[in-house]
Amino acid sequence: MANQMKNNAITSRDVDFAQWYTDVCKKAELMNYSSVKGFINYLPYGYAIWEEIQNYLNKRFKAEGAENVYLPMVIPESMFAKEKEHVEGFAPECLVATYGGGKKLEDPLIIRPTSEILFSDLYKNILNSHRDLPKMFNQWCSVVRWEKTTRPFLRGSEFLWQEGHCLFETQEAAEENVRKFLEIYDDCGRNVLAIPFVKGRKTEHEKFAGAVATYTIEALMHDGKALQSGTSHYLGTGFAKAYGISYLGRNNKLEVPHQTSWGVSTRLIGAVIMVHGDDNGLVLPPYVAPIQVVIVPIRQKEPGVLEACEAMKAKLIEKGIRVKLDADDSKTPGWKFAEYEMKGIPLRIEVGPRDLANGQATLVKRVSGEKELASIEQIEEEIPSVLETIHNQMYEKAKAHLESSIKDVNSVEELNAAIANGGYARMAFCGEAECELKIKEVTGGGTARCIYKDLADEGTACPVCGKPAKIIAYFAKAY
Amino acid sequence: MANQMKNNAITSRDVDFAQWYTDVCKKAELMNYSSVKGFINYLPYGYAIWEEIQNYLNKRFKAEGAENVYLPMVIPESMFAKEKEHVEGFAPECLVATYGGGKKLEDPLIIRPTSEILFSDLYKNILNSHRDLPKMFNQWCSVVRWEKTTRPFLRGSEFLWQEGHCLFETQEAAEENVRKFLEIYDDCGRNVLAIPFVKGRKTEHEKFAGAVATYTIEALMHDGKALQSGTSHYLGTGFAKAYGISYLGRNNKLEVPHQTSWGVSTRLIGAVIMVHGDDNGLVLPPYVAPIQVVIVPIRQKEPGVLEACEAMKAKLIEKGIRVKLDADDSKTPGWKFAEYEMKGIPLRIEVGPRDLANGQATLVKRVSGEKELASIEQIEEEIPSVLETIHNQMYEKAKAHLESSIKDVNSVEELNAAIANGGYARMAFCGEAECELKIKEVTGGGTARCIYKDLADEGTACPVCGKPAKIIAYFAKAY
């Protein structure tokens, strides 16, 4: 059957998952490697996925009162140095400009790896009174981090993201913001990417450089590795104090605001590829797919076939569906089936003379290969619910994979066995960096992805150091 | 009358237009100066104007078949050097990174001042056959040009723009693309920004570094200076040859494609400010205004007033209108009138007890100060056409200013007199760089903005050198 046809140019996932991933990225024309080492070109088919994610998040952000801004792409080195933990975290991966207009710069400029500092500098200048709070600014931009090893969408010298930076009067309001935007990211997974996440607070060792607390969403890839997919930070008052942000409070005294930041990046495209893809290529969730439906005419030279396809295309466009009709008669239907399966288009509609005679078209779902018939006459009424069904199937499939991967363990040996071939293990431990590092060493790279549960004094001992366990964390190997 | 109340914090245009401009940019909170010298922060009210421009252009671009991509923000110095005219044009204003990850880079990286080179490098790798043509890629990003003197939105070390880069089989197809996108920019002026442009080809002296021909749209600011507001270039085959782009043509021979590029930037925000603004502040055209309508309650504590305002707001939002209700009772209506006039909100609706009793609200147009009454019951039906009227009034006003400024002249003395206090002069000349430079010197900065007409042999002599005149050009002093 055509929908099971192998696209031989793609390495099988089980043979070499890393190679499969690169093959899919390139063959599906999501990206290609730029001649600038470590940097990629985001091609139309990949960039369009990002635009759909942007559309969803922009609406959600704006509904919460967040406003978009754009700040400089460079940070003077002298300004960068003020928040100690932050600068220690980022300094090793900075790209630094030292010449401008042919002259040596007195104060070198760091290409932004993240913009906490620039937002702090802005807020310092525009915050006056408690009436100005809350402030919720968001920025869509690219950032640069000088990475030694790179992988498309997952780790690169430059990536696209959004970074929200907010100020609040109270710790409570700031923490609520942190949770709210983590929920929005989680919703984006559930409603748009068809990706379920494990979510929670990061351990002290894994949190963001300069944050009081970091919250994360972690997805599970097909190979069993975790992928940090978005983070939301409570920054406390550290940046505000380091950069001199204050305001006249309700009691007429100068107060320091509580700060948050939150972001997701084009990493989400990597998550979509590795959660849903299969040996035939990409499988795109309908709500981010640049093309949601492809119409393939069968025996297209026979009377009425192309006309019916054109009419169908027009009706679907009218309905707001992103549709492509491939009427290129130099390619066979079989070639097209394989091509659009590789490209991950969620739904294929086949229309041939026999379908026309019966008044029905054949629908084929990319995720399952299932075929069904639909009335040609009213097809535009049916497709939206078919796409919704596909979305739900994809989400449930990913959720079953995630949930079946989680194992509760009580020792480092059990943990090691549980995550050796992928998946999450939940284990109680003391939460100290030393024990995490030991776990990482023993398991060959397993890390605490996030906290599942804070423990009251339950008398459990940390299996590494023997001290009282304070948290139960999710451990996994991760990208 | 409230709508003629002076906002004293803004310098009058006739006293000091440059200061008026800066005052408006800052007071209306479109931007503020960043602590990074030469760079600005695009604040929500300014950035939202850019988002509306993006929305319009993205739809138009996509309808023409252009696809969005994202390419690296840096260009290796070794790659930059290949197109000679191009590199000579841009080298003096480059920001250059020389360190990455703590190590000196072997090949320094130029922060992109424009991306002809990166697109050429991409096309070299993905173009195979004439079947791949045309290719029309567009990118929304920021670029860096190391400027000595900067002005918000007009000239800065970093600005936001879009850059389209396309490939075609033939010169004719490429030139058609160049004209088509110039028309789209012109439409954006007419339909969105309410700005009429003078448009045409640039002279040899003024064209883009590396282009065969540059086309431009030029707006006329209130002070009579021209502002280059968008350009569309026919690049010929120069970049393609320098960067090795070729394809297998219809005759099975290797061919070199014809290239174009076109772009507009956040300069358009500067044009909006300087074309429409007045001594009370900003005057925003309705289709880019972040807030199109502001509702100001009068004697808002009286029964029914706030409820009526809330109901009106809900109905207008439902209609897709961007509306703000200011119900802050610590501010007087008069204060609000002045504030929202300064912010340039196209339409104010006043609702007080007397209006309620009559079932009518008072509408006040920012552009003219005109007042009219509208039925409260069905106000959502009326507002869209009121906004359209405002748009048309603004466009016609700007067009009258532009057209009345154009003078036909026959000598450098006449030209000098014609543009001394602003406006355009049309004069026939030989089209040579030397004569342009002489005109610039004599007029204290007047330049050829674009060509009005190519001349056949009409026997006119260039008033500078006496050789035969070849073109009639628009001259003006420009930003």
Side-chain angles (χ1 to χ4, degrees):
Chain A
M1 275 187 334
N3 64 307
Q4 291 170 351
M5 197 184 286
K6 240 342 182 267
N7 190 321
N8 288 318
I10 297 175
T11 307
S12 161
R13 288 179 300 175
D14 294 338
V15 169
D16 184 344
F17 192 70
Q19 188 58 50
W20 168 87
Y21 178 75
T22 310
D23 286 351
V24 169
C25 287
K26 286 162 70 179
K27 286 284 295 180
E29 297 178 285
L30 297 172
M31 51 65 67
N32 70 9
Y33 291 106
S34 150
S35 295
V36 191
K37 198 167 167 284
F39 290 72
I40 64 169
N41 296 311
Y42 294 77
L43 297 181
Y45 202 58
Y47 192 80
I49 295 174
W50 183 236
E51 287 184 308
E52 293 302 331
I53 294 170
Q54 285 187 304
N55 284 342
Y56 176 82
L57 291 178
N58 250 330
K59 272 185 206 130
R60 293 292 306 269
F61 293 172
K62 288 182 181 180
E64 296 299 325
E67 300 178 290
N68 285 339
V69 297
Y70 186 78
L71 273 50
M73 68 147 78
V74 291
I75 310 168
E77 218 168 56
S78 61
M79 195 195 285
F80 197 70
K82 290 189 188 172
E83 217 290 345
K84 200 170 150 283
E85 286 179 34
H86 186 70
V87 69
E88 282 173 5
F90 281 99
E93 43 185 60
C94 284
L95 177 66
V96 188
T98 55
Y99 280 84
K103 286 191 186 146
K104 193 160 192 204
L105 302 175
E106 282 178 26
D107 196 358
L109 296 171
I110 293 164
I111 316 305
R112 71 181 153 220
T114 179
S115 304
E116 272 71 10
I117 292 171
L118 294 168
F119 276 87
S120 295
D121 184 62
L122 167 62
Y123 283 136
K124 182 185 74 181
N125 292 321
I126 65 171
L127 184 65
N128 295 303
S129 146
H130 65 89
R131 283 189 204 86
D132 299 331
L133 295 173
K135 276 267 176 248
M136 297 169 60
F137 285 173
N138 176 62
Q139 165 168 281
W140 294 93
C141 65
S142 77
V143 290
V144 170
R145 298 182 187 174
W146 204 250
E147 301 278 0
K148 286 196 190 86
T149 55
T150 64
R151 300 191 67 184
F153 305 120
L154 301 179
R155 195 172 290 282
S157 294
E158 180 183 13
F159 58 85
L160 297 164
W161 81 345
Q162 61 67 217
E163 45 179 331
H165 295 270
C166 313
L167 294 183
F168 300 89
E169 268 190 276
T170 64
Q171 177 169 347
E172 292 68 38
E175 286 177 336
E176 194 191 318
N177 177 261
V178 169
R179 283 190 299 270
K180 179 78 212 174
F181 280 79
L182 195 76
E183 283 305 319
I184 289 174
Y185 295 152
D186 197 33
D187 289 349
C188 181
R190 190 183 309 101
N191 302 330
V192 181
L193 309 173
I195 296 178
F197 297 110
V198 159
K199 65 182 179 198
R201 206 170 82 242
K202 286 272 182 195
T203 59
E204 286 299 301
H205 179 60
E206 289 280 339
K207 76 181 186 189
F208 177 72
V212 173
T214 289
Y215 292 78
T216 181
I217 48 170
E218 303 272 331
L220 185 69
M221 305 299 101
H222 172 79
D223 65 349
K225 280 196 195 167
L227 182 75
Q228 178 179 308
S229 305
T231 48
S232 186
H233 313 291
Y234 171 55
L235 302 177
T237 54
F239 282 93
K241 283 175 183 158
Y243 289 90
I245 314 175
S246 63
Y247 64 96
L248 203 61
R250 289 172 198 274
N251 56 4
N252 261 343
K253 277 186 205 157
L254 273 188
E255 304 277 358
V256 178
H258 293 259
Q259 208 160 349
T260 71
S261 69
W262 26 266
V264 294
S265 75
T266 35
R267 241 189 179 206
L268 290 175
I269 299 174
V272 163
I273 300 166
M274 291 199 289
V275 167
H276 300 299
D278 65 21
D279 281 358
N280 292 333
L282 208 52
V283 183
L284 289 178
Y287 301 126
V288 290
I291 303 167
Q292 299 175 303
V293 174
V294 61
I295 303 172
V296 179
I298 313 290
R299 289 161 62 192
Q300 68 185 65
K301 284 178 182 158
E302 299 215 5
V305 172
L306 272 187
E307 290 80 352
C309 291
E310 291 282 4
M312 189 180 286
K313 180 184 166 186
K315 288 198 288 184
L316 292 175
I317 288 174
E318 179 74 20
K319 203 80 184 172
I321 290 162
R322 300 186 287 273
V323 59
K324 178 191 171 92
L325 163 61
D326 187 347
D328 179 354
D329 67 359
S330 74
K331 306 279 200 307
T332 65
W335 187 94
K336 292 177 189 174
F337 294 173
E339 173 71 9
Y340 298 119
E341 280 170 11
M342 190 269 288
K343 285 245 178 182
I345 296 178
L347 187 68
R348 177 173 83 230
I349 305 182
E350 304 170 4
V351 183
R354 202 161 22 167
D355 301 293
L356 272 191
N358 297 331
Q360 291 186 311
T362 306
L363 312 184
V364 187
K365 294 179 188 164
R366 174 65 179 90
V367 62
S368 61
E370 289 170 90
K371 292 190 173 195
E372 57 180 272
L373 295 171
S375 153
I376 292 177
E377 189 61 45
Q378 297 196 303
I379 202 153
E380 74 279 12
E381 300 300 327
E382 195 159 336
I383 297 302
S385 75
V386 175
L387 294 177
E388 193 186 337
T389 304
I390 293 171
H391 172 87
N392 292 337
Q393 281 178 330
M394 292 180 70
Y395 182 74
E396 291 304 327
K397 190 175 169 185
K399 195 161 166 241
H401 179 230
L402 171 65
E403 286 176 353
S404 71
S405 92
I406 301 171
K407 298 179 196 82
D408 289 297
V409 300
N410 296 306
S411 70
V412 179
E413 294 68 39
E414 281 179 29
L415 174 66
N416 191 21
I419 67 171
N421 297 312
Y424 288 104
R426 280 192 298 228
M427 186 177 80
F429 86 119
C430 64
E432 299 294 329
E434 270 177 49
C435 291
E436 272 189 70
L437 288 170
K438 195 158 281 175
I439 290 167
K440 190 171 179 181
E441 198 188 314
V442 171
T443 57
T447 50
R449 303 314 306 159
C450 65
I451 296 170
Y452 166 60
K453 208 174 165 181
D454 284 291
L455 292 173
D457 183 16
E458 297 180 13
T460 314
C462 171
V464 188
C465 65
K467 285 184 213 155
K470 292 198 177 140
I471 52 174
I472 300 176
Y474 284 98
F475 289 86
K477 296 183 177 174
Y479 279 92
Chain B
M1 276 185 335
N3 65 309
Q4 292 171 349
M5 199 184 283
K6 239 343 181 268
N7 191 322
N8 288 319
I10 297 175
T11 307
S12 163
R13 288 178 299 175
D14 293 337
V15 169
D16 184 344
F17 192 69
Q19 188 59 48
W20 169 87
Y21 179 75
T22 311
D23 286 351
V24 169
C25 287
K26 287 163 71 179
K27 286 284 294 180
E29 297 178 285
L30 298 172
M31 52 65 68
N32 70 8
Y33 291 107
S34 151
S35 295
V36 192
K37 196 165 168 288
F39 291 71
I40 64 169
N41 296 311
Y42 294 78
L43 297 181
Y45 202 58
Y47 192 79
I49 295 173
W50 183 236
E51 287 184 308
E52 294 302 332
I53 294 171
Q54 285 187 303
N55 285 342
Y56 176 82
L57 291 179
N58 249 329
K59 272 187 207 127
R60 293 293 307 270
F61 292 173
K62 288 181 182 182
E64 296 299 325
E67 300 178 290
N68 285 337
V69 297
Y70 186 78
L71 272 49
M73 68 147 79
V74 291
I75 310 167
E77 218 169 57
S78 61
M79 195 193 286
F80 197 70
K82 290 189 190 172
E83 216 290 343
K84 199 170 151 283
E85 285 179 35
H86 187 69
V87 69
E88 281 173 5
F90 282 100
E93 42 184 59
C94 285
L95 177 67
V96 188
T98 55
Y99 280 85
K103 285 187 187 149
K104 193 158 192 208
L105 302 175
E106 283 177 26
D107 196 358
L109 296 170
I110 293 164
I111 315 305
R112 68 178 156 223
T114 179
S115 304
E116 271 71 11
I117 292 171
L118 295 167
F119 276 86
S120 295
D121 184 63
L122 167 62
Y123 282 136
K124 182 186 72 181
N125 291 319
I126 64 172
L127 183 66
N128 296 303
S129 146
H130 65 90
R131 283 190 203 84
D132 299 331
L133 294 174
K135 277 267 176 248
M136 296 169 61
F137 286 173
N138 175 61
Q139 165 168 280
W140 294 93
C141 65
S142 77
V143 289
V144 170
R145 297 183 187 175
W146 206 251
E147 300 278 0
K148 285 195 191 92
T149 54
T150 65
R151 299 192 67 185
F153 306 120
L154 300 180
R155 194 173 290 280
S157 295
E158 180 183 13
F159 58 86
L160 297 164
W161 79 346
Q162 61 68 219
E163 45 179 332
H165 295 270
C166 312
L167 294 183
F168 300 88
E169 270 190 274
T170 63
Q171 177 170 348
E172 292 66 40
E175 286 177 337
E176 192 190 320
N177 177 260
V178 168
R179 282 191 299 269
K180 180 79 212 174
F181 280 80
L182 194 76
E183 283 306 318
I184 290 175
Y185 295 153
D186 196 35
D187 289 349
C188 181
R190 189 181 310 100
N191 302 329
V192 180
L193 310 173
I195 296 179
F197 297 109
V198 159
K199 64 183 180 198
R201 205 170 84 240
K202 287 272 183 195
T203 59
E204 285 300 300
H205 179 61
E206 290 281 336
K207 75 180 187 188
F208 177 73
V212 172
T214 290
Y215 293 77
T216 181
I217 47 170
E218 304 272 329
L220 185 69
M221 305 298 101
H222 172 78
D223 66 347
K225 279 196 194 167
L227 182 75
Q228 178 178 307
S229 304
T231 48
S232 186
H233 313 290
Y234 170 55
L235 303 176
T237 54
F239 282 93
K241 284 176 183 156
Y243 290 90
I245 314 175
S246 63
Y247 64 95
L248 203 59
R250 290 173 196 270
N251 55 4
N252 261 344
K253 278 188 203 153
L254 273 188
E255 304 277 358
V256 178
H258 293 260
Q259 207 161 349
T260 71
S261 69
W262 27 264
V264 294
S265 74
T266 35
R267 243 189 178 207
L268 290 176
I269 299 174
V272 164
I273 300 166
M274 290 198 291
V275 167
H276 300 300
D278 65 21
D279 281 358
N280 292 332
L282 209 52
V283 182
L284 289 177
Y287 302 124
V288 289
I291 303 167
Q292 298 174 304
V293 174
V294 61
I295 304 172
V296 179
I298 313 291
R299 289 161 62 192
Q300 66 183 70
K301 283 176 180 157
E302 298 214 6
V305 173
L306 272 187
E307 290 79 350
C309 290
E310 291 283 4
M312 190 180 286
K313 179 183 167 186
K315 287 198 290 183
L316 292 175
I317 288 174
E318 179 74 21
K319 204 79 184 174
I321 289 162
R322 300 187 287 274
V323 59
K324 178 190 172 92
L325 163 60
D326 187 347
D328 179 354
D329 67 359
S330 74
K331 307 278 201 306
T332 64
W335 186 94
K336 292 176 190 174
F337 294 173
E339 173 70 8
Y340 298 119
E341 278 169 14
M342 189 269 289
K343 286 245 178 184
I345 297 178
L347 187 67
R348 176 172 84 229
I349 306 182
E350 305 170 4
V351 183
R354 202 161 23 163
D355 302 293
L356 273 190
N358 297 331
Q360 290 186 310
T362 306
L363 312 185
V364 188
K365 293 180 189 164
R366 174 64 178 91
V367 62
S368 60
E370 288 170 90
K371 293 190 172 196
E372 57 180 271
L373 295 171
S375 152
I376 292 178
E377 190 61 45
Q378 298 195 302
I379 201 153
E380 74 279 14
E381 301 300 329
E382 193 157 337
I383 298 302
S385 74
V386 176
L387 294 178
E388 194 186 336
T389 304
I390 292 172
H391 172 85
N392 292 337
Q393 282 178 329
M394 291 179 70
Y395 182 74
E396 291 304 328
K397 191 175 167 182
K399 195 160 165 241
H401 180 230
L402 171 66
E403 288 177 353
S404 71
S405 92
I406 301 171
K407 298 178 196 85
D408 290 296
V409 299
N410 296 307
S411 70
V412 179
E413 294 68 40
E414 280 179 30
L415 174 66
N416 191 21
I419 68 172
N421 298 311
Y424 288 102
R426 281 191 298 228
M427 187 178 78
F429 86 119
C430 63
E432 300 293 327
E434 269 178 52
C435 290
E436 272 189 70
L437 288 170
K438 195 158 283 177
I439 289 167
K440 191 172 180 180
E441 200 188 313
V442 170
T443 57
T447 50
R449 305 314 307 157
C450 64
I451 296 170
Y452 166 62
K453 208 173 164 183
D454 285 292
L455 292 176
D457 183 16
E458 296 181 15
T460 315
C462 171
V464 188
C465 66
K467 285 185 215 155
K470 292 199 177 139
I471 52 175
I472 300 176
Y474 285 97
F475 288 85
K477 296 185 178 174
Y479 279 92

